């Protein structure tokens, strides 16, 4: 007899389990719709006040046999699962977010050079374009070393307004001329969206400097250009902020984005910034975009170029960026960190000799 009763009761439990399951999924679907609307409004998904109110209402309604503590514990688990679902859905909507382990953006430059395809590209050149002769020497060096991408910086975001601000459009003309002479690709920093039409005549890749990383109007405008964009991390930006800045460009329609780690501000006084090398695997894990390491502005000193170069390649980054000048001692900006030509050649030897892991994470 009792066996039969147990059987009957168990069938009731099975039935209730199915009802709970249905209700749980119904609840999850509604929570996910709320999450979608919150994301649209830019509102945080987790609302502790709302959670406290729901738990309070459940405890008031609870008639046992479960204690209030048990009810609270069970529902907290349900809330947690719903929030995780909402967060997963919100992330899936982010264009630059990695969706699958082999999801990769490969950028093809006008000369056919690819970034993000497993190779390790070097971007090099003077901190700023100063003259044709200076850039001509740099261009010849890069061509000799097989480097394809040349810095052609004509607008310099200097700390002091009285320091050299760059040659402007004349600097771009020089960079283009030299690049054409040696078959190089030009990358140059843009300061303001109004410069896009003019700069488009000279540059193959736009570059957003650290100080403009969160200039959302500039980022939106670069979402409309056909050239790839290098986006540098601000020295006080979290990786999440960098990823959202990249998302501004992607949301505008341009997914040809390269992220650049350039060191962050810490209490460390020995280097100009602190190279956050952990950002490489993290950014590669979180996004499908190529990641490059700036070994010049992170260190701020040329004697660290070779070790930083090795570290950059060993981290699984897609390339490095380094400043090189025919006569760094008299450079108009960043004199302490630009490499002499012989140092650059040594760096290239060391970097070639360093293995790059197939995956950064
Ligand atoms: C640069 O790389 O030219 C530069 C100005 O660096 P950052 O924007 O990282 O300071
Ligand atoms: Mn510089």
């Amino acid at each position: 007899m009792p066996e039969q009763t147990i059987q009957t009761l168990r069938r009731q439990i099975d039935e209730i389990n199915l009802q709970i399951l249905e209700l749980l999924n119904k609840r999850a679907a509604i929570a996910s719709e709320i999450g979608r609307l919150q994301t649209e409004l830019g509102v945080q998904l987790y609302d502790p006040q709302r959670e406290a109110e729901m738990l309070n209402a459940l405890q008031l309604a609870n008639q046992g046999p479960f204690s209030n503590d048990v009810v609270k514990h069970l529902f907290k688990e349900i809330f947690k699962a719903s929030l995780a679902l909402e967060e997963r859905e919100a992330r899936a909507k982010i264009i630059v977010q990695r969706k699958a382990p082999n999801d990769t953006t490969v950028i093809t430059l006008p000369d056919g050079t690819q970034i993000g395809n497993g190779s390790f590209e070097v971007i090099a050149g003077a901190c700023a374009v100063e003259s044709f002769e200076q850039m001509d020497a740099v261009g010849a060096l890069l061509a000799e070393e097989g480097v394809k991408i040349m810095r052609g910086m004509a607008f310099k975001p200097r700390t002091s307004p009285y320091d050299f601000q760059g040659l402007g459009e004349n600097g771009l003309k020089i960079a283009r001329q030299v690049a054409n002479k040696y078959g190089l690709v030009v990358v140059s920093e843009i300061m303001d969206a109004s410069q896009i039409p003019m700069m488009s005549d000279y540059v193959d890749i736009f570059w957003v400097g650290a100080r403009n990383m969160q200039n959302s109007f500039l980022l939106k405008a670069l979402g409309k250009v056909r050239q790839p964009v290098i986006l540098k991390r601000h020295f006080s930006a979290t990786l999440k902020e960098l990823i959202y800045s990249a998302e501004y460009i992607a949301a505008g329609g341009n997914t040809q984005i390269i992220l650049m780690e350039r060191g962050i501000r810490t209490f460390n006084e020995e280097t100009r910034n602190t190279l956050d090398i952990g950002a490489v695997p993290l950014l590669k894990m979180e996004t499908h975009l190529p990641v490059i390491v700036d070994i010049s502005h992170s260190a701020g000193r040329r004697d660290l170029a070779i070790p930083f170069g090795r570290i950059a390649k060993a981290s699984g980054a897609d390339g490095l960026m380094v400043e090189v000048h025919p006569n760094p001692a008299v450079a108009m900006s960043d004199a302490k960190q630009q490499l002499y030509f012989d140092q650059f050649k040594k760096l290239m030897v060391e970097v070639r000799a360093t293995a790059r892991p197939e995956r950064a994470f």
Side-chain angles (χ1 to χ4, degrees), residues 151 156-157 189 207 209-211 232 262 294 297 321 323:
R151 286 174 59 100
K156 294 304 301 170
E189 179 164 354
W207 169 299
R211 288 152 196 81
K232 291 192 88 172
R262 48 82 74 207
D294 174 350
H297 298 84
M321 196 290 293
E323 289 183 342

Side-chain angles (χ1 to χ4, degrees), residues 156-166 211 272 332-333:
K156 294 304 301 170
R158 305 303 301 283
T159 303
S160 161
Y162 306 113
D163 286 339
F164 174 61
Q165 302 286 305
R211 288 152 196 81
R272 185 173 173 184
M332 295 175 86
S333 53

Side-chain angles (χ1 to χ4, degrees), residues 100-114:
N102 291 324
D103 204 6
T104 10
T105 291
V106 176
I107 291 170
T108 305
L109 301 174
D111 67 340
T113 302
Q114 291 193 318

Side-chain angles (χ1 to χ4, degrees), residues 19 41 62 89 132 141-142 261 265 353:
Q19 287 171 7
L41 290 173
N62 181 29
E89 287 176 349
F132 179 83
L141 173 75
L142 300 193
E261 160 58 30
R265 279 228 167 124

